Amino acid sequence: MGAHPRSEVRVRDDAAAARVRGDPVLVAEMFRNLLSNAAVYGGGMIFAWLRPMPDGRVAVTIWDRGPGMPPAELERLAERFYRGAGAEGTLGAGLGMAVVQTLADAFGAELTVRNRPRRGLAVQLVFQPA
């Protein structure tokens, strides 16, 4: 993760043979942005789960055990240049989630972000089959 705090990523891949709609380089960029955010704002352990859905789509969920975000900030997270109160003192321009949202829209994927019930933030991308 380079300049990010030390984090461990645990991956569960139940969709290894699945193919999704999107450019491989840009899909990888989406994952880099999401994992980077989880490392910077969630710290510590990061989890990723790739799973096929019954309708052929593929869900990718990344979550952390950080503090999460106030609901009003969650609504603005994908706005260009928006940085929540928890971003104070960290590097960044507020573009990572905007890039993820723009690419998700371009590939017909659905992006959802929510606070986890106990602690942390969960981001899910649901991709269309290739």
Side-chain angles (χ1 to χ4, degrees):
M1 296 245 134
H4 299 305
R6 185 170 181 80
S7 296
E8 181 179 341
V9 179
R10 292 194 181 170
V11 177
R12 177 177 170 181
D13 185 356
D14 296 334
R19 295 177 57 108
V20 299
R21 186 181 310 160
D23 179 273
V25 173
L26 296 176
V27 170
E29 181 64 24
M30 295 168 82
F31 294 159
R32 269 192 298 278
N33 283 344
L34 294 175
L35 291 169
S36 174
N37 282 350
V40 170
Y41 303 110
M45 186 68 67
I46 300 166
F47 301 89
W49 184 21
L50 292 74
R51 62 187 169 85
M53 299 180 75
D55 61 3
R57 297 180 303 159
V58 175
V60 178
T61 308
I62 297 173
W63 69 95
D64 60 51
R65 293 184 176 156
M69 295 182 78
E73 289 187 11
L74 280 177
E75 294 175 12
R76 298 189 61 202
L77 195 57
E79 288 179 22
R80 288 178 26 199
F81 306 111
Y82 178 75
R83 301 191 77 214
E88 192 171 316
T90 62
L91 294 176
L95 290 172
M97 287 302 293
V99 167
V100 172
Q101 182 67 67
T102 299
L103 293 173
D105 292 345
F107 300 147
E110 299 169 27
L111 173 67
T112 57
V113 183
R114 63 177 173 78
N115 283 306
R116 296 184 63 236
R118 293 190 185 154
R119 183 171 171 86
L121 199 66
V123 178
Q124 184 175 67
L125 283 163
V126 178
F127 289 94
Q128 298 297 321

